[in-house]
Amino acid sequence: MNRPCINLAVAGFGTVGTGLAKAIRENAEWIGRRLGKTLRIHTVLVRDIHKNRSFIPDPDTAFTSDPETFLNTPDIDIVVELMGGTGLAHEIIARSLTMGRSVVTANKALLAEHGSELFALAARNHAGLYYEASVAGGIPIVQTLKESLAGNRIRNLLGILNGTANYILSEMTAKGLDFQDALAMAQAKGYAEADPTFDIQGIDAAHKLTLLIRLAHGQDYPFADLAVTGISQVQALDIALGGEFGYKLKLLAQVSHTSGKLLAGVFPAFIAKNHMLAKVEGPFNSILLEGNVVGPIMLYGQGAGDLPTGSAVLADIMALAKNPTTPNNTGFPEPVLPAADILDPMLSLSGHYFRFSVQDRPGVLSAIAGIMGNNAISIAQAVQKQTDDPAKGVSIVFLTHKALLRDVKKAMTEIDACDFIMAPTVHYRIV
Amino acid sequence: MNRPCINLAVAGFGTVGTGLAKAIRENAEWIGRRLGKTLRIHTVLVRDIHKNRSFIPDPDTAFTSDPETFLNTPDIDIVVELMGGTGLAHEIIARSLTMGRSVVTANKALLAEHGSELFALAARNHAGLYYEASVAGGIPIVQTLKESLAGNRIRNLLGILNGTANYILSEMTAKGLDFQDALAMAQAKGYAEADPTFDIQGIDAAHKLTLLIRLAHGQDYPFADLAVTGISQVQALDIALGGEFGYKLKLLAQVSHTSGKLLAGVFPAFIAKNHMLAKVEGPFNSILLEGNVVGPIMLYGQGAGDLPTGSAVLADIMALAKNPTTPNNTGFPEPVLPAADILDPMLSLSGHYFRFSVQDRPGVLSAIAGIMGNNAISIAQAVQKQTDDPAKGVSIVFLTHKALLRDVKKAMTEIDACDFIMAPTVHYRIV
C-alpha cells in the first residue's frame, strides 16, 4: 500500500533510539494501518558516524555527526531528541521548534530545568513538544494527565518514578542486602549506570515530578525548589525493622494539592505492605493518582529500557503525525504557565518512623518520649531492640501518628543533642 | 473570564448523568482553564420531567421528555448518551451522528452489538463517537489503546472489567461466603442491581471486551461469538481449595493474539495470589496489557459509580470540545473494521484446576489420572479431601500443567461418565 511518509530526524542513536527504530521496523505494517501513514527515520545525528552499529533503521537513513547538517535537513516532519543532557539537546530542540518543527523528546532533565522556555517557544511557533517517554518509560502518564484526567483536580499524586532506586530497594528488602551491594547488583544487571548519582539521589525522580506537577496542576514548580532526598543513606536495618511493622521502604515522588497550594517532594518513605504501590518491585514504575472526580487511579509498567521508552516515543510521534496542526503540549492553552503556589514541605503531615541509637540506661525512653510530646508528636508504636554490639547501645524504634514534618525535624534536633544519643537518629515518613 | 461555550445535550440523567453534571459544576473554573472553553449542559432528556431531582445542572438547563425536541434542539455541540439500552439510545446516537453531531456515550451494550454500524455512520458524517466511560469506568483504557499504545501489537490483554462480579468474588474469598450471600451483600451495598444478570453472567464484561478487542486489534469480534462463562455457579469450596494452592478466583476477560488470530473469552479463572491482578479487590477494575514494544502495562481504578464514570465522560467531552474536526473513534482510519480472525477458544492453552467428587474406593485416582494422561493432560499437583458428609464421597483436586481447553473438556466428559463420579466435575482455568 502506498501511504504518505512521515520523515523523522532522530538526534541520538543509543538505547532508546535503537529501540524506537526496532519498533518502527517490527510494527511497520501495523503502524501504517493505525496511522494511514508510514514512519521513516530519514536522518540520524550521532557522535561518531563510523561506529559499528548492531542495528540500522533503513539502508537509506542518513547518518551525520554535524548538528548543522542535521538541523538543516529539508523535508523533516518531526524531530526526535534522544541524546539527553542539557547542552546540544537544548539547542537542537530550541532551533527545531523555532523552525516550526514538532519535537518528541525523552529528556526529563531538560524539560524540568528549561521546560517553561521551551513550551513557550513551541507555542509561539505552533509546534508540538511531546515528552511521554520522559516520565515512567512506557506508562502513558503524560497522556493520561493531559487528556484523560483533564477534568479532574488531582488531589494527590504518588509515584515510584525511578526504576534503579526501586530495584535497589527491592533487592535490599528481599535479600537483606546493604545499599552498596544492591547498587553493585543493579549495575551488574544494567539497571544502574556507572555514575548512578541522578538515580540514587532522587534527582531523576525529581525531574520527572517537575513534569508531572506541570501536567497535573498547570503550574511551574521550579525544579531547584523541590525537596529531594535520595536513598544512598538507607540501611538494611531500617528496612528490616519497618518490615516488622508491616511496611516497605520505597523512593516516592509526591505532590498533593491542599488549600490551593502544592506540597511536593521526593523522599524514601514507608508504605503499608498491602498498599498497591508496595507491590511495585524491581525496575518497574507506578503512579497512583487521586482525582476529585475519578477517585484513585493507578498506572503501572516498565519505567525504562529501550523498548518501553521507545513505545512512548512512538506514541508521541504517531500522535503528532496524525494531528500535526493543533498540538497539546502542556495540557493547558496558555503559552506560559503561572509559577507554582508552593506550600513549605515542612508542613507535610504524615506518620513517621524513627530509630534512635541510645545508651542502654534508665530514663532514656522517657526523655525521648517527652521531647516528642513537647513537639506535638504522638507515638503509635514503640519497640526496643538490642544491637549486635553492646558498645553500640540499643535501638529504639518509634512509629508516630500523623505529625508535621517541621515538628519532627525540631524534635530530632533536640533529641540528637542529648548525651545518651550514640548515632544520628534515622527518620522516614510513613505515607 | 468570557470563554466560548460548548453546549451539551445529555440523554438520560441518572447516576452517571448526575455525576457528570456535578463534576462540570465543581470543576467549572478548572475545566475552563484546561479547555479555554466553558461546558454547559444545555438540554437534558429524561423520562419524567416532573420527577424531583436532588441536583439540577443549571437554572436555565432545559428538561424535556420528548426525544424529537431533544434531537432538534439547535446549537448543540456534543450529544451525551447516558440512558443505556439498545432502543431509544440507539436511535438518538444514530440520528445525532447523521446530523453531524459528535456523541459521547457510556453504552457498552450498544457499541458491542451495533458498534460496527455506528462507527461507520460516524465516519461518514465526520462526527466523533467517543466511549471512554463504557469500559472500566474512570480508567483511561480506551484512550490508552487508541493513542498511547497505538504503535504496539497487543499480544495479551487480561482484564477485571466487572466491579460487581469482582466484589462478589472478593467477599466470597475474604469471608468464605456462598455466592447467594455475597450477591445479596453486593445488592445491599449498591454494587449490584436488582437484576444482576448482565454482571454475574459475564455479559457486561463481554460487552466491554468486545470494545477492547476492536481498540487493540482493529477487528470486529462479534459479541455473540464470544465464549462467556459467569460466576453464578462458583462455590466457596473451590475458592478455598484454590486458595490453599496460592490462587485467587477472578472473573477475567481475555484476548490474546497468537499466529495472527484472536483468542478471546470471559471466564472465572484462578490467578496466583502474588499476581498484580490478584490485588484488585472489591468494586475495582484493572486491565493488564502486554504490548510487543512496551511490555506489560497495568491500569487500575474504579470501574463504575457516578463520579468515576462521569470523569471518563468528561474526558471525552473535553477531547471533542478541544478538537472537534478530526475525531479518532476506533483508533483506525478505516471507516469499517475487518471481521476478526478468530481462533477457536477450545485451543486456549493454560493450567487447569479440577475438583472431582468421587466415591471413596480404590482405583478411582488412577482411573482419573489415566483419562487425563490419555488426553495429553499432565498433572502438576493433586490433593484428596474428605467432605463433611461421607455420603458425598471425597473431593480430589488436580492442578495441571498447560493443556488445551479442548482436551480438558474431552477428559471431563469421559471422567464424568464414570460410575464413581458423584457430582459434576468442577473446572477452572489457571491463568
Side-chain angles (χ1 to χ4, degrees):
Chain A
M1 206 181 295
N2 236 336
R3 299 185 171 110
C5 188
I6 299 290
N7 283 324
L8 309 175
V10 180
F13 203 68
T15 313
V16 179
T18 309
L20 172 68
K22 283 182 183 167
I24 287 176
R25 181 184 296 171
E26 169 81 15
N27 291 355
E29 193 41 44
W30 179 249
I31 292 168
R33 195 186 152 209
R34 278 275 199 191
L35 209 51
K37 298 172 186 174
T38 297
L39 298 182
R40 175 173 160 231
I41 298 185
H42 180 287
T43 302
V44 175
L45 176 66
V46 291
R47 220 168 301 168
D48 175 8
I49 57 166
H50 302 295
K51 186 174 162 186
N52 241 334
R53 294 175 198 282
S54 59
F55 187 88
I56 298 294
D58 218 20
D60 59 348
T61 297
F63 277 75
T64 177
S65 60
D66 176 31
E68 291 303 322
T69 305
F70 177 83
L71 281 163
N72 295 316
T73 307
D75 302 325
I76 294 299
D77 297 292
I78 298 169
V79 175
V80 183
E81 185 279 307
L82 301 172
M83 332 168 53
T86 52
L88 181 55
H90 190 171
E91 189 188 337
I92 285 175
I93 292 180
R95 287 180 56 188
S96 298
L97 292 173
T98 304
M99 294 165 76
R101 289 182 173 174
S102 284
V103 172
V104 173
T105 179
N107 198 327
K108 57 221 81 170
L110 180 62
L111 291 184
E113 294 178 24
H114 302 281
S116 195
E117 161 217 331
L118 291 171
F119 286 117
L121 190 59
R124 271 205 301 285
N125 293 283
H126 309 286
L129 175 54
Y130 278 22
Y131 48 99
E132 184 63 82
S134 64
V135 186
I139 301 174
I141 182 63
V142 173
Q143 173 80 352
T144 295
L145 285 169
K146 271 203 292 198
E147 304 280 354
S148 305
L149 302 184
N152 280 263
R153 300 305 321 246
I154 307 296
R155 288 200 197 108
N156 195 24
L157 180 155
L158 202 57
I160 294 175
L161 300 179
N162 185 278
T164 306
N166 198 55
Y167 176 83
I168 291 171
L169 292 177
S170 292
E171 290 297 303
M172 290 177 74
T173 304
K175 299 175 185 157
L177 297 181
D178 282 330
F179 174 80
Q180 287 302 338
D181 294 336
L183 170 61
M185 209 158 167
Q187 285 169 323
K189 290 221 175 190
Y191 291 141
E193 298 177 52
D195 177 1
T197 312
F198 271 33
D199 292 324
I200 65 175
Q201 300 299 5
I203 297 165
D204 174 75
H207 282 145
K208 293 165 178 167
L209 181 60
T210 308
L211 306 195
L212 294 181
I213 293 173
R214 195 184 281 138
L215 285 159
H217 299 288
Q219 300 182 13
D220 251 312
Y221 197 118
F223 166 71
D225 291 355
L226 270 180
V228 180
T229 310
I231 60 164
S232 56
Q233 304 304 316
V234 171
Q235 296 175 49
L237 175 60
D238 296 292
I239 289 180
L241 289 169
E244 290 179 22
F245 288 101
Y247 293 102
K248 266 192 193 171
L249 195 73
K250 294 285 179 191
L251 181 66
L252 298 178
Q254 184 174 28
V255 57
S256 54
H257 182 248
T258 33
S259 350
K261 288 173 183 280
L262 300 181
L263 186 73
V266 172
F267 47 88
F270 281 115
I271 53 177
K273 281 182 186 173
N274 63 1
H275 191 286
M276 289 291 288
L277 284 182
K279 323 286 185 194
V280 179
E281 300 287 9
F284 278 81
N285 278 196
S286 187
I287 299 113
L288 179 66
L289 300 157
E290 175 85 28
N292 76 334
V293 187
V294 76
I297 286 274
M298 194 180 104
L299 283 72
Y300 167 90
Q302 291 179 80
D306 54 348
L307 291 176
T309 311
S311 171
V313 173
L314 186 53
D316 280 350
I317 292 171
M318 289 175 74
L320 286 167
K322 205 183 299 177
N323 185 8
T325 51
T326 52
N328 177 14
N329 296 333
T330 60
F332 297 85
E334 302 119 279
V336 176
L337 298 178
D341 198 353
I342 296 174
L343 191 67
D344 180 358
M346 284 296 139
L347 297 178
S348 95
L349 193 69
S350 70
H352 298 271
Y353 163 101
F354 297 94
R355 177 168 57 84
F356 305 103
S357 301
V358 299
Q359 290 170 4
D360 191 6
R361 62 173 162 89
V364 167
L365 193 70
S366 94
I368 293 176
I371 294 173
M372 302 282 254
N374 290 341
N375 284 286
I377 304 166
S378 159
I379 296 158
Q381 292 184 78
V383 66
Q384 180 162 332
K385 294 263 179 185
Q386 294 301 324
T387 51
D388 306 337
D389 177 1
K392 287 188 181 162
V394 297
S395 289
I396 294 177
V397 176
F398 278 4
L399 271 60
T400 75
H401 291 294
K402 284 192 177 178
L404 288 176
L405 189 57
R406 179 193 63 198
D407 297 339
V408 160
K409 295 286 184 186
K410 181 160 168 285
M412 273 175 67
T413 306
E414 293 175 28
I415 292 167
D416 279 1
C418 295
D419 63 352
F420 53 75
I421 289 288
M422 301 179 69
T425 296
V426 175
H427 160 253
Y428 294 107
R429 289 185 234 182
I430 302 172
V431 173
Chain B
M1 205 180 294
N2 235 336
R3 298 185 172 110
C5 188
I6 299 289
N7 284 324
L8 309 174
V10 179
F13 203 69
T15 313
V16 179
T18 309
L20 171 68
K22 283 182 183 169
I24 287 176
R25 181 183 297 171
E26 169 81 15
N27 290 356
E29 193 42 45
W30 179 249
I31 292 167
R33 195 186 152 209
R34 278 277 198 191
L35 209 52
K37 298 173 187 172
T38 297
L39 298 180
R40 175 173 161 232
I41 298 186
H42 180 288
T43 303
V44 175
L45 176 66
V46 290
R47 220 168 303 168
D48 176 8
I49 57 167
H50 302 296
K51 187 175 163 187
N52 241 335
R53 293 175 199 282
S54 59
F55 186 88
I56 297 295
D58 219 19
D60 59 349
T61 296
F63 277 75
T64 177
S65 60
D66 176 33
E68 292 303 322
T69 306
F70 177 83
L71 281 163
N72 295 316
T73 308
D75 303 324
I76 293 302
D77 297 292
I78 298 170
V79 175
V80 182
E81 185 278 307
L82 301 172
M83 333 167 52
T86 51
L88 181 57
H90 190 171
E91 189 188 338
I92 285 175
I93 292 180
R95 287 181 56 189
S96 298
L97 292 172
T98 305
M99 292 165 77
R101 289 182 173 175
S102 284
V103 172
V104 173
T105 178
N107 198 328
K108 58 221 83 171
L110 180 62
L111 291 183
E113 295 177 23
H114 302 281
S116 195
E117 161 217 332
L118 291 171
F119 286 118
L121 190 60
R124 272 205 301 284
N125 292 284
H126 309 285
L129 174 54
Y130 278 23
Y131 47 99
E132 183 65 81
S134 64
V135 186
I139 301 173
I141 182 64
V142 172
Q143 173 79 351
T144 294
L145 285 169
K146 271 202 294 198
E147 304 281 354
S148 305
L149 301 184
N152 279 262
R153 300 305 321 247
I154 307 297
R155 288 199 197 108
N156 196 23
L157 180 155
L158 203 56
I160 294 175
L161 300 180
N162 184 279
T164 306
N166 198 55
Y167 176 84
I168 290 171
L169 293 177
S170 293
E171 290 297 302
M172 289 178 75
T173 304
K175 299 175 186 158
L177 296 181
D178 282 330
F179 174 79
Q180 286 302 338
D181 294 336
L183 170 60
M185 209 158 168
Q187 285 169 322
K189 290 221 175 191
Y191 292 142
E193 297 178 54
D195 177 3
T197 312
F198 270 33
D199 292 323
I200 65 175
Q201 300 299 6
I203 297 165
D204 175 74
H207 282 145
K208 293 165 178 167
L209 181 62
T210 308
L211 306 194
L212 294 181
I213 293 173
R214 195 184 280 137
L215 285 159
H217 299 288
Q219 300 182 13
D220 251 311
Y221 197 118
F223 166 72
D225 292 355
L226 269 180
V228 180
T229 310
I231 61 164
S232 56
Q233 304 303 317
V234 171
Q235 296 175 50
L237 174 62
D238 296 292
I239 290 180
L241 290 170
E244 290 179 22
F245 288 101
Y247 294 102
K248 266 193 194 171
L249 196 73
K250 293 285 180 191
L251 180 66
L252 297 178
Q254 184 173 28
V255 57
S256 54
H257 183 247
T258 32
S259 350
K261 288 173 184 281
L262 300 181
L263 187 72
V266 172
F267 47 88
F270 281 115
I271 53 177
K273 281 182 185 173
N274 62 1
H275 190 288
M276 289 292 285
L277 284 183
K279 323 287 186 194
V280 179
E281 299 287 8
F284 278 80
N285 279 195
S286 187
I287 299 112
L288 178 67
L289 300 156
E290 175 85 29
N292 77 332
V293 188
V294 76
I297 287 276
M298 194 180 103
L299 282 72
Y300 167 90
Q302 292 178 79
D306 55 348
L307 291 175
T309 311
S311 171
V313 173
L314 186 52
D316 281 349
I317 292 171
M318 289 174 74
L320 286 167
K322 206 182 299 176
N323 185 6
T325 51
T326 52
N328 177 13
N329 296 333
T330 60
F332 297 85
E334 302 119 279
V336 177
L337 298 179
D341 198 353
I342 295 174
L343 191 67
D344 180 357
M346 284 296 139
L347 297 178
S348 95
L349 194 69
S350 71
H352 297 271
Y353 163 100
F354 297 93
R355 178 169 56 83
F356 305 102
S357 301
V358 299
Q359 290 171 4
D360 191 5
R361 62 173 163 90
V364 166
L365 193 70
S366 94
I368 293 176
I371 294 173
M372 303 281 254
N374 290 341
N375 284 286
I377 304 166
S378 159
I379 295 159
Q381 292 183 77
V383 66
Q384 179 162 332
K385 294 263 178 185
Q386 293 302 324
T387 51
D388 305 338
D389 177 2
K392 287 188 180 160
V394 295
S395 289
I396 294 177
V397 175
F398 277 4
L399 270 60
T400 75
H401 291 294
K402 284 193 177 176
L404 288 176
L405 189 57
R406 180 192 61 198
D407 297 339
V408 160
K409 293 287 184 186
K410 180 159 168 287
M412 273 174 68
T413 307
E414 293 175 29
I415 291 166
D416 279 1
C418 295
D419 62 352
F420 54 75
I421 288 288
M422 301 180 69
T425 296
V426 175
H427 159 253
Y428 293 107
R429 291 185 232 181
I430 302 172
V431 172

